[in-house]
Amino acid sequence: MAASAGENVMGGTAAPTVAARRPGSWLVMPSVGVLLIWMIVPLVMTVWFSFRFYNLLDPSVHGFAGLDNYTYLVTDPNFWVSLRNTMVLLVAVLVITVGLGTLLAVLFNQPFPGRNVARVLAISPFFVMPTVSALLWKNLLMHPIYGVFGVVAHTFGLQPVDWFAQYPLASVITIVSWEWLPFALLILLTAVQSLDQEQREAARMDGAGVIAQFFFITLPHLSRAISVVIMIETIFLLTIFAEIFVTTSGGPGNATTNLAFLIYSRALLQFDIGGASAGGVVAIILANIVAIFLVRSVARRLEV
């Protein structure tokens, strides 16, 4: 009697195929394929144009450029200034959001009248679009004549400060920190609420004060949450653009030009698609290096 299709030569049942073991994979494959195309096509085009001469205003400039676009990029002083501004913006916002977020998380975990309303108000800025946030700070708060800060300065007989002319990078850091502080607060407040209260009670009975409890109990407990906040914020802060475009347009000079705005200016202001693509490739490489380091750091903490 011939062996059936489901049996092998020795009489045993044949191993099921991958499709048989995972019947749902056929339903996932179209979305995965679309996602891969969505990511790979722009990446391949960016790498391709980075090795080409391509100027939107001069079609006669074309051909293979080799490493000329990259050489021009790294020898341009604006590139190193933008890289420095990117790092300063990143580190400053992380310090402000993580530091204040930790303190506010501990504060909002304490019972006080109107705590729920205060939590909602503290988290709400995260849901405001970056462009709206930048316009709000630029015209409503930091404007030297019509802004709230200028009115307060006039009230006390002081000279109003033109924030975006005198302290442009600090102003952008303030706006971005205001946007991302609620995110850090939300994650850290959730972590604080998961802290074992019996451990704190035991420390209090042993004579530990509020400061000692914070540094030896609360802060170690928040280390994993802080790592997650740093990782997520870093990935997004490397691509800050709207706040700079709306408020300073990278100026005065290149005082607030970060890597994302430099790529924009090369592509849509100077119409140098090849140079902008080279900057995009460099930005992708830097972002992946930072992301790999942060993901490994978070994974090590989660394994502890």
Side-chain angles (χ1 to χ4, degrees):
M1 184 176 177
S4 62
E7 299 179 353
N8 55 22
V9 178
M10 301 301 295
T13 302
T17 62
V18 175
R21 291 198 304 267
R22 300 176 181 176
S25 61
W26 294 103
L27 300 176
V28 179
M29 286 176 61
S31 59
V32 173
V34 172
L35 184 61
L36 289 176
I37 294 174
W38 186 275
M39 294 185 300
I40 292 177
V41 171
L43 177 61
V44 171
M45 292 184 64
T46 302
V47 175
W48 166 254
F49 283 122
S50 69
F51 292 102
R52 305 282 299 180
F53 290 117
Y54 185 22
N55 191 292
L56 295 176
L57 294 182
D58 191 358
S60 63
V61 179
H62 61 85
F64 182 70
L67 297 177
D68 289 350
N69 289 326
Y70 293 93
T71 303
Y72 177 74
L73 178 69
V74 298
T75 56
D76 184 5
N78 289 325
F79 169 74
W80 298 105
V81 173
S82 66
L83 196 60
R84 182 200 65 192
N85 291 338
T86 302
M87 293 297 105
V88 171
L89 176 65
L90 171 65
V91 174
V93 173
L94 285 177
V95 170
I96 294 173
T97 55
V98 173
L100 288 180
T102 303
L103 296 177
L104 290 176
V106 175
L107 174 63
F108 286 140
N109 192 48
Q110 306 300 319
F112 60 88
R115 182 178 64 174
N116 293 333
V117 176
R119 287 178 177 178
V120 173
L121 293 177
I123 296 173
S124 58
F126 184 67
F127 302 101
V128 181
M129 291 183 295
T131 305
V132 177
S133 299
L135 288 173
L136 185 150
W137 278 85
K138 179 181 180 181
N139 298 319
L140 184 62
L141 295 175
M142 290 184 169
H143 196 282
I145 300 176
Y146 309 108
V148 174
F149 298 160
V151 173
V152 172
H154 277 298
T155 302
F156 289 96
L158 302 176
Q159 183 68 26
V161 178
D162 191 351
W163 294 96
F164 294 105
Q166 300 178 19
Y167 309 103
L169 188 57
S171 301
V172 174
I173 290 172
T174 301
I175 296 173
V176 178
S177 300
W178 182 79
E179 294 173 355
W180 282 94
L181 179 59
F183 171 78
L185 171 61
L186 184 62
I187 301 299
L188 296 174
L189 179 58
T190 304
V192 169
Q193 291 176 338
S194 66
L195 179 62
D196 187 6
Q197 297 300 320
E198 294 182 356
Q199 185 178 8
R200 298 184 62 180
E201 289 294 335
R204 187 181 298 110
M205 293 177 62
D206 290 338
V210 176
I211 298 178
Q213 293 180 37
F214 175 77
F215 282 103
F216 294 102
I217 297 178
T218 305
L219 203 57
H221 177 74
L222 292 178
S223 60
R224 295 181 179 180
I226 291 175
S227 299
V228 173
V229 170
I230 292 175
M231 179 184 68
I232 296 176
E233 285 194 13
T234 299
I235 295 174
F236 284 94
L237 292 176
L238 288 173
T239 59
I240 289 295
F241 173 78
E243 296 85 349
I244 296 175
F245 177 79
V246 172
T247 56
T248 63
S249 296
N254 55 9
T256 56
T257 299
N258 64 346
L259 196 54
F261 193 86
L262 179 68
I263 296 172
Y264 157 78
S265 64
R266 286 285 176 83
L268 299 180
L269 298 182
Q270 303 176 23
F271 304 100
D272 183 9
I273 303 301
S277 300
V281 172
V282 173
I284 292 171
I285 294 174
L286 292 177
N288 278 274
I289 293 174
V290 174
I292 291 172
F293 173 78
L294 292 173
V295 168
R296 289 184 176 180
S297 176
V298 172
R300 285 196 298 267
R301 289 184 177 273
L302 293 178
E303 291 174 356
V304 177

